[in-house]
Amino acid sequence: HAHKTIKNYGVHYDKIWIFDKIHHEINQFCSSHTLQEVYIDHFDKLDEALAYALQESCDKWETGISIIAIRVTKPRIPESVR
């Protein structure tokens, strides 16, 4: 699969299929939830939701990429926002 993936998407396939997708999926998740939901209520589900969304996209486009794990660190919320 590695040869086909690099042939189709270049050596920076990870930017296209992982990094850009994570950014997009986090934006989608955050825009559809409140700060309370993102930071407290559903944060423990974010890693799994991202992994599922990325794998689903990679499978749909037959990239040959397997998402093994994703770990999102909890951001610091500025006092002015709390």
Side-chain angles (χ1 to χ4, degrees):
H1 291 287
H3 181 266
K4 180 181 173 186
T5 300
I6 291 173
K7 181 181 174 190
N8 290 337
Y9 305 107
V11 294
H12 301 293
Y13 68 89
D14 55 345
K15 179 175 179 349
I16 298 166
W17 290 106
I18 299 171
F19 298 113
D20 290 349
K21 286 278 191 188
I22 286 175
H23 182 78
H24 171 74
E25 292 298 331
I26 288 177
N27 282 342
Q28 293 289 359
F29 184 84
C30 291
S31 68
S32 63
H33 294 87
T34 66
L35 180 58
Q36 166 80 26
E37 291 171 332
V38 170
Y39 195 72
I40 298 170
D41 300 339
H42 301 303
F43 190 81
D44 61 330
K45 299 175 185 105
L46 185 56
D47 294 341
E48 189 176 310
L50 284 173
Y52 178 81
L54 265 62
Q55 191 62 64
E56 188 176 57
S57 182
C58 287
D59 291 348
K60 177 182 175 185
W61 292 96
E62 299 177 356
T63 64
I65 297 170
S66 294
I67 305 300
I68 297 169
I70 293 177
R71 179 69 53 204
V72 178
T73 56
K74 207 166 205 177
R76 284 184 256 160
I77 304 296
E79 285 295 326
S80 60
V81 176
R82 291 182 196 193

